[in-house]
Amino acid sequence: GGAPPPLAMHWGAREHGKKWGKPSEEMMGPNSSRKENAVQTDFVKGDKGQVASIKIEGNAEGVDFVLRHASDNKWFKAPDGDFFARVKEEDDDPNDTPLEQLSLSEAGAGMGVDSIAAFESRGGLSLMERFNAARTVLKDAAGDRSRLRAVMVWLRFSQMRQLAWQRKHNTKPTLLSQEADKLSMLITSKWAQARGVDAELLRMMLSAVPRGSNGDDGQAIRDQILVIMRQFEIKKRKGCWMEEWHQKLHNNSTPDDIIICEAYIKFCESEGNLGVFYDHLRAHGLDRKRMQQFERPILQEPVYFPSIKTGLINAFTDYLRILKTVHSGADLARSVLFSKHLLDGKCAPLVVSAIGVQANPNASPEELIAALGATLEARQMVCASLEANAGNSGGARDLLYLDLALESHARLLVERSLASLSERSVATALLLAVESLAYSLRFGAPPAPPRATSGDEDETTQRAAAADAAQAEQTRELVEGLGDWAALVNELGGDVSAWGKRGGLRGVAVVERLQRAMGGLVERVHAELQPAAEVVGAAIRNKNPDKTPEAWSVALFTEEVLRGGSSAPAALVLSKAGAIFRALGHMPTWQIVSPGPKEGAAGKIVVANIKDVQETIFTEPTVLIASAVTGEEEVPEGVVAVITSDAPDILSHIAVRSRGLGVLFASCFDETVLQSLSSSEGKFAACKIVGGTVTVDTSASPAAAAAPPLKAAASSSSAPKASLGGAPRVFDKWAILDTELPLGGARVSGAKSSNLVALRAAAPAWVLTPRSAVLPFGCLDQALAAPENAAAATTYKQLAASIVPAAHASIPQLEKMRALIQGLAAPRDMKAAVIETLAKAGISLSEAQWPAAFESIKQVWASAWNERASIACGRAGLGLKDVSMAVLVQKVVESEYAFVVHTANPTSGNRDEIYAEIVVGQGEALVGNSPGRALGFSCAKDLKGAPTLLSMPSKGLALHGAGLIFRSDSNSEDLPDFSGAGLFDSVPMVPNSVSSVSYRAERLVTDPSFAEDMMRKIAEASVAVEKAMGGVPQDIEGCWVGGEVHIVQ
């Protein structure tokens, strides 16, 4: 018995998880004194024993303390360390604004950015609270794509460790697991109701969030580590690394613990090799310094215990499963386990086999490809089950996580396969890599139904509809390309070395189509995510005490998202496959669109999108490395050479203009060469065509560019004015038959009409031409003179006088002029005159169709005032008011295939050889330069040899038309000093319909005999046309219908 010895308590305040903080004076009760940073409070006798009084206030969560017998200086601690008395919940922070009170103003463009930034500005936070905050913002995101983007970006920054997972705050793993569970369920339920890009964003969002659980697994993180430590008596052994990790796990477990656990297992497996331990940490973005900076720091190094090695490996392998359940959503093995009851029984064995191959560092190329096939087969089963279980949020969530895990596994297998890809394996690898991407688009984001737009929607709604349409188009193109590829491999076999030249060209065509779809995907995703990343990133960094996310992570945000998905490995496979097939098809690295001058071209390298600089006047000769070319652009003034990765059609506007201006224009299909040229920006380069290849010497001095300037490099002020020929005849009627066109004297139309008449008179009968009529020069002036258009005529004169050709400042006036013309009323006598003349030509136009016809006519007139024409005419010394516009009216030839022919090969300058291109459907796909290649061939004019096939078609869309077409026929086309072709518009009265092309069903591609017969007949017709036109080289547009050749222009 007797009285207990007197006690003293040594204690410190715990704030935001930091132990043994210095207490304030207000917290110190009676009988207290400071002992360095701690406080000693003596116990005194009370009613129920010895008592010590202290006051807990402010941010303190409780006190850390130990006890001491004052008489014998004996110290007392808890079994696992210092005592800790909690007085408030660990996740409460009196300085934090309740989430429901956070500002949600429109400052973040309706994205919820204010809420996000306010949360990240907190003095204390945790991953659990971030998930809770994300749920709150996401709940209000119904129909709000901008908010979905913001939350996705926010969670992705968090996943990338660009935002703190813990700041002066502790969280029970149980609560973290429960909050992750709630958030992942909310995302899944919204995904099930979403379509198009919304569904895609939600799927990306889910990939940045752990699955979570109802809390049992979270508590197991705390409990099981203690079980392991007690089972193996870790505390009795040398070293305290595991004790430090235990303290972190107990107070604030994060996804880093998965990496630490994996590293420790590898450490044990390697007989205690610390290099292996730290290598694994570094490979996953973690290192010793970062662990030392945890709020529960890990300062020690792990200790190897040989006698219990096997037991520790087994125990921590089981523990790793618990960590992954809480912190990782898309873990393949766990995802299969969670969704096994929803899947075909064959799925799990497929996944197990694929995991085994990936884990084998010595797996053969054949095994890797087989494992990739098994992974894709499993994805097919998962996607089928996902469609059936979309209404079951729990099941759909686990299936989505499994699909994400399979996508990641497929990416790893593709990346490992790249080094060993050969002619024997590339066909299968390409199919599987692109199929993986197609699954991610098609099943991960179900296509949105087409939106009916009235034009009255706000800009945000219109952008969303356009993004959904682009996503659906990219998915369709990938699926079509995969179908063509599968059919090609089925037809020719999996070993592409036996395909021959034609097979190689077909391979190139499919690869280009798939690459084009992927390029569109990358551009769309970048436009969707990058602006949001910059807004959200800046808003957080401005308020975040850690000053994160870092600038690099914002700048590369979309790139990192894409690298983590299926598109990056698919792009690598396609690039490698393209090189193999180009070699097989004897396709050169370079395609010459315009040869330029014989002596070559030299100038300073500039890298730019040509559309962005087409109005720029370069003051010195310039070699433009163009990142993108649509074919509709104008060659910028001062540019002497254009090199691009795109392959514009040979009759696209920019191709025709380049040849007319003497500009060297070439497409390069070697990424290494293009990257080298791009990195040489600012240097001078000398370009020359040698044997069908462009040589580029970047060591050239500026003196190489001092030769007499090319036509393209001359300024518009010094350019000689092009001659427009004789003055147009004064207006005397609204329409005339093509047979009435005068052969001499004053002109009433452009060269298109007169050339067709001359051709019909001189060409063989089997070369068919459509009957036509012409609205001659002067019709627009006559329409303006009509009483109905008196006010418009005055404005027209004012605008025409104010427009300066090739001047950027005139663009608004050009837009006004086009709008004015398209708003004209038809003069009273015009309708009857036009309908009657067309009827005489055998062209039917009813009164009911007249309004549509007149709209088409006005569009042709208005095209004389487009921006492209303004630039071109200005450089030729012409004013737009000098251009007279006639309209050639023809019945549309409903073609199976369309072609363009140059009877002097424009790429080589060989006048004894024709060059031609063929597409499915109408020729507007060629002259309008719709994306993709045409079938290209050349043929000697003596017609003695077979045509030489140069390329196979890859355009994804075909145009189909009927009714009438109204073609521009100006006085500025085909002039000796000015290439005006392609400047102005031709307009079908009924808009062309568009269809997707399945080349596996097109005889042009699948039937070599049919294709050769068509090429030969087109060549024969072209030679006949040139002869009929006096032996002068011709540019020809025509159609193929039922084995017959029609020349339309």
Side-chain angles (χ1 to χ4, degrees):
L7 282 175
M9 179 173 70
H10 284 253
W11 60 279
R14 182 179 295 192
E15 295 184 8
H16 303 302
K18 185 176 181 180
K19 295 181 180 180
W20 290 92
K22 184 177 181 180
S24 64
E25 294 292 334
E26 291 76 13
M27 293 176 65
M28 295 170 58
N31 306 309
S32 296
S33 60
R34 290 197 181 276
K35 303 291 183 180
E36 296 182 352
N37 285 335
V39 171
Q40 177 178 308
T41 298
D42 296 328
F43 283 77
V44 297
K45 185 177 180 180
D47 295 338
K48 297 182 180 181
Q50 298 188 58
V51 179
S53 298
I54 59 177
K55 183 179 181 182
I56 306 299
E57 58 183 30
N59 293 327
E61 303 160 9
V63 294
D64 299 288
F65 66 96
V66 295
L67 299 175
R68 180 178 67 85
H69 273 162
S71 58
D72 58 7
N73 207 33
K74 186 175 182 179
W75 293 85
F76 299 90
K77 293 186 177 183
D80 58 351
D82 300 336
F83 293 108
F84 174 61
R86 184 180 299 282
V87 296
K88 58 188 285 190
E89 279 299 313
E90 57 189 333
D91 47 283
D92 290 342
D93 188 339
N95 293 326
D96 286 342
T97 306
L99 186 67
E100 61 272 11
Q101 295 179 17
L102 291 176
S103 168
L104 195 58
S105 72
E106 296 181 358
M111 298 166 65
V113 174
D114 277 2
S115 292
I116 294 169
F119 172 84
E120 295 298 337
S121 71
R122 290 180 167 192
L125 56 79
S126 67
L127 201 54
M128 180 273 292
E129 291 176 308
R130 183 174 292 128
F131 292 161
N132 177 273
R135 261 198 316 127
T136 301
V137 177
L138 192 58
K139 283 178 182 177
D140 299 326
D144 186 349
R145 185 169 294 174
S146 64
R147 193 169 294 239
L148 292 180
R149 283 194 295 261
V151 175
M152 182 268 161
V153 167
W154 180 25
L155 293 173
R156 180 78 179 192
F157 277 138
S158 177
Q159 183 191 40
M160 295 165 64
R161 295 194 186 92
Q162 284 296 306
L163 301 176
W165 287 347
Q166 174 196 17
R167 185 188 301 141
K168 298 179 181 179
H169 239 236
N170 293 330
T171 300
K172 296 176 182 177
T174 300
L175 298 177
L176 172 61
S177 182
Q178 290 173 343
E179 200 56 57
D181 177 70
K182 294 175 184 176
L183 178 57
S184 61
M185 285 293 289
L186 176 62
I187 294 171
T188 302
S189 65
K190 286 188 172 292
W191 174 89
Q193 300 167 13
R195 290 294 181 270
V197 174
D198 287 353
E200 184 178 46
L201 289 169
L202 286 159
R203 185 174 182 272
M204 290 179 184
M205 193 186 300
L206 193 68
S207 71
V209 175
R211 177 186 182 276
S213 70
N214 58 13
D216 293 343
D217 289 310
Q219 184 60 37
I221 289 178
R222 280 183 163 184
D223 296 343
Q224 195 61 29
I225 188 66
L226 287 172
V227 169
I228 294 172
M229 292 176 71
R230 288 167 183 162
Q231 177 184 352
F232 295 99
E233 298 183 323
I234 296 297
K235 290 193 176 183
K236 294 181 180 180
R237 298 175 184 273
K238 179 184 176 182
C240 58
W241 174 87
M242 197 175 296
E243 169 60 22
E244 290 177 339
W245 185 31
H246 157 243
Q247 289 298 323
K248 178 193 180 301
L249 290 163
H250 186 83
N251 290 283
N252 208 62
S253 181
T254 67
D256 282 335
D257 294 313
I258 293 176
I259 302 166
I260 294 171
C261 187
E262 291 172 338
Y264 184 70
I265 292 171
K266 289 180 179 294
F267 168 76
C268 293
E269 291 173 338
S270 65
E271 311 292 339
N273 188 329
L274 283 171
V276 171
F277 177 79
Y278 287 117
D279 283 348
H280 186 80
L281 294 182
R282 282 191 292 270
H284 294 83
L286 198 57
D287 56 24
R288 186 174 183 180
K289 182 178 179 181
R290 182 178 175 85
M291 292 196 298
Q292 291 173 342
Q293 293 173 342
F294 289 155
E295 293 198 12
R296 290 291 190 277
I298 300 176
L299 304 174
Q300 303 297 317
E301 292 184 331
V303 176
Y304 178 56
F305 305 114
S307 62
I308 55 173
K309 164 189 167 180
T310 303
L312 285 174
I313 290 173
N314 292 336
F316 278 105
T317 299
D318 289 337
Y319 189 60
L320 181 61
R321 296 189 186 101
I322 297 171
L323 290 170
K324 286 185 174 181
T325 298
V326 174
H327 293 304
S328 175
D331 176 70
L332 187 50
R334 299 294 287 171
S335 296
V336 170
L337 184 63
F338 285 130
S339 52
K340 191 173 181 179
H341 64 289
L342 299 169
L343 295 169
D344 186 300
K346 299 177 182 178
C347 187
L350 286 171
V351 175
V352 171
S353 68
I355 291 175
V357 173
Q358 172 61 16
N360 178 9
N362 299 314
S364 67
E366 292 76 19
E367 288 174 323
L368 291 171
I369 295 296
L372 181 58
T375 304
L376 267 294
E377 189 176 348
R379 283 197 80 182
Q380 185 177 15
M381 295 177 186
V382 170
C383 289
S385 182
L386 190 56
E387 289 181 332
N389 290 279
N392 172 7
S393 293
R397 176 182 65 173
D398 289 332
L399 289 166
L400 276 172
Y401 274 126
L402 178 54
D403 184 59
L404 287 164
L406 287 168
E407 178 186 34
S408 178
H409 194 73
R411 176 176 56 81
L412 294 174
L413 288 168
V414 171
E415 289 171 349
R416 281 189 64 185
S417 302
L418 281 170
S420 58
L421 279 187
S422 66
E423 292 180 342
R424 291 182 175 274
S425 59
V426 69
T428 304
L430 188 153
L431 180 69
L432 296 174
V434 179
E435 186 179 357
S436 182
L437 175 59
Y439 273 127
S440 300
L441 282 173
R442 191 176 186 183
F443 296 103
R451 302 191 188 199
T453 56
S454 64
D456 297 328
E457 295 84 357
D458 60 46
E459 187 177 349
T460 300
T461 302
Q462 291 177 2
R463 281 201 306 266
D468 286 338
Q471 184 204 58
E473 169 70 11
Q474 289 147 16
T475 304
R476 182 197 57 72
E477 274 290 271
L478 284 172
V479 171
E480 280 290 354
L482 278 172
D484 286 344
W485 186 253
L488 181 57
V489 173
N490 185 60
E491 177 187 343
L492 301 180
D495 183 358
V496 304
S497 63
W499 284 13
K501 177 183 177 181
R502 184 181 176 86
L505 293 175
R506 289 177 67 180
V508 169
V510 179
V511 166
E512 288 182 342
R513 185 176 189 178
L514 292 170
Q515 287 177 321
R516 195 168 58 249
M518 286 189 58
L521 164 68
V522 170
E523 291 177 6
R524 176 182 60 79
V525 173
H526 191 276
E528 197 72 41
L529 295 183
Q530 195 57 36
E534 292 168 3
V535 170
V536 174
I540 293 175
R541 189 167 54 248
N542 287 340
K543 294 189 176 182
N544 187 351
D546 299 330
K547 296 303 177 186
T548 57
E550 297 169 271
W552 71 264
S553 69
V554 175
L556 298 178
F557 182 85
T558 306
E559 184 178 336
E560 291 299 316
V561 170
L562 290 166
R563 281 180 179 174
S566 298
S567 56
L572 292 172
V573 173
L574 286 168
S575 179
K576 192 158 187 177
I580 290 174
F581 294 127
R582 277 196 296 273
L584 197 62
H586 304 158
M587 291 187 73
T589 300
W590 293 87
Q591 177 178 323
I592 311 302
V593 177
S594 170
K598 291 181 180 180
E599 65 272 17
K604 186 177 180 179
I605 294 178
V606 172
V607 181
N609 185 325
I610 196 166
K611 187 173 183 180
D612 296 337
V613 297
Q614 66 177 344
E615 297 173 24
T616 302
I617 298 175
F618 292 97
T619 56
E620 58 185 330
T622 298
V623 175
L624 184 63
I625 311 301
S627 55
V629 176
T630 67
E632 293 300 299
E633 302 91 345
E634 181 65 33
V635 179
E637 189 168 327
V639 168
V640 297
V642 178
I643 296 174
T644 179
S645 59
D646 281 338
D649 292 321
I650 210 73
L651 202 62
S652 65
H653 171 74
I654 197 166
V656 173
R657 292 288 290 148
S658 295
R659 292 192 290 273
L661 293 168
V663 172
L664 189 158
F665 193 119
S667 300
C668 178
F669 306 110
D670 188 326
E671 293 179 8
T672 304
V673 172
L674 286 168
Q675 290 171 1
S676 176
L677 290 174
S678 296
S679 65
S680 300
E681 185 169 18
K683 294 182 179 179
F684 274 78
C687 308
K688 193 170 184 179
I689 296 175
V690 179
T693 296
V694 179
T695 63
V696 183
D697 180 7
T698 54
S699 64
S701 67
L710 304 178
K711 286 183 280 185
S715 67
S716 57
S717 61
S718 62
K721 184 171 181 178
S723 171
L724 294 179
R729 193 171 73 185
V730 177
F731 171 86
D732 58 3
K733 60 174 65 176
W734 286 110
I736 59 176
L737 298 174
D738 57 6
T739 55
E740 298 175 337
L741 289 173
L743 298 179
R747 301 173 60 189
V748 299
S749 66
K752 287 180 184 175
S753 306
S754 56
N755 285 346
L756 277 176
V757 173
L759 175 63
R760 189 181 300 132
W766 59 270
V767 176
L768 305 177
T769 58
R771 291 300 303 272
S772 54
V774 179
L775 276 65
F777 294 151
C779 285
L780 173 58
D781 294 331
Q782 190 69 12
L784 286 165
E788 299 92 331
N789 298 312
T794 301
T795 306
Y796 179 92
K797 291 179 181 179
Q798 294 170 348
L799 285 172
S802 70
I803 292 173
V804 178
H808 180 77
S810 291
I811 292 177
Q813 282 88 343
L814 289 171
E815 293 173 351
K816 290 177 183 178
M817 180 66 91
R818 292 195 299 273
L820 180 144
I821 293 172
Q822 290 174 198
L824 294 176
R828 294 178 183 177
D829 59 339
M830 182 179 182
K831 176 174 68 175
V834 172
I835 291 176
E836 180 182 350
T837 302
L838 292 179
K840 291 178 181 178
I843 302 173
S844 175
L845 178 68
S846 68
E847 291 201 10
Q849 294 173 316
W850 169 250
F854 186 58
E855 289 302 315
S856 301
I857 292 166
K858 289 189 292 182
Q859 285 184 55
V860 176
W861 287 341
S863 72
W865 299 90
N866 68 55
E867 183 180 346
R868 191 174 64 236
S870 173
I871 295 171
C873 289
R875 291 177 187 169
L878 298 174
L880 288 179
K881 59 182 183 230
D882 298 324
V883 175
S884 295
M885 182 67 71
V887 181
L888 174 63
V889 186
Q890 295 175 326
K891 186 176 181 180
V892 172
V893 178
E894 298 182 29
S895 59
E896 300 167 22
Y897 301 98
F899 59 84
V900 296
V901 180
H902 295 265
T903 61
N905 192 326
T907 64
S908 65
N910 186 352
R911 295 171 66 95
D912 295 323
E913 180 181 72
I914 71 162
Y915 175 86
E917 293 181 338
I918 306 173
V919 294
V920 178
Q922 293 291 321
E924 279 70 18
L926 272 171
V927 296
N929 200 49
S930 67
R933 284 184 193 259
L935 182 147
F937 74 93
S938 61
C939 185
K941 287 184 183 177
D942 61 16
L943 305 175
K944 290 180 180 179
T948 300
L949 185 63
L950 301 173
S951 64
M952 294 296 282
S954 67
K955 292 180 183 292
L957 300 175
L959 303 178
H960 306 279
L964 305 184
I965 185 167
F966 297 80
R967 299 183 184 275
S968 59
D969 192 21
S970 75
N971 62 342
S972 63
E973 307 200 33
D974 302 325
L975 300 176
D977 298 318
F978 175 57
S979 177
L983 289 180
F984 312 112
D985 295 343
S986 294
V987 183
M989 187 175 73
V990 178
N992 290 321
S993 62
V994 181
S995 68
S996 178
V997 183
S998 297
Y999 286 108
R1000 56 193 176 276
E1002 284 293 340
R1003 290 185 68 192
L1004 181 67
V1005 171
T1006 62
D1007 187 341
S1009 297
F1010 173 81
E1012 183 169 339
D1013 180 60
M1014 184 189 302
M1015 289 187 286
R1016 189 178 292 278
K1017 287 185 177 178
I1018 289 172
E1020 291 173 357
S1022 302
V1023 171
V1025 168
E1026 184 182 83
K1027 182 178 179 181
M1029 300 303 292
V1032 177
Q1034 299 292 308
D1035 293 346
I1036 302 166
E1037 295 179 33
C1039 302
W1040 175 277
V1041 183
E1044 293 184 319
V1045 175
H1046 298 249
I1047 305 299
V1048 299
Q1049 187 171 309

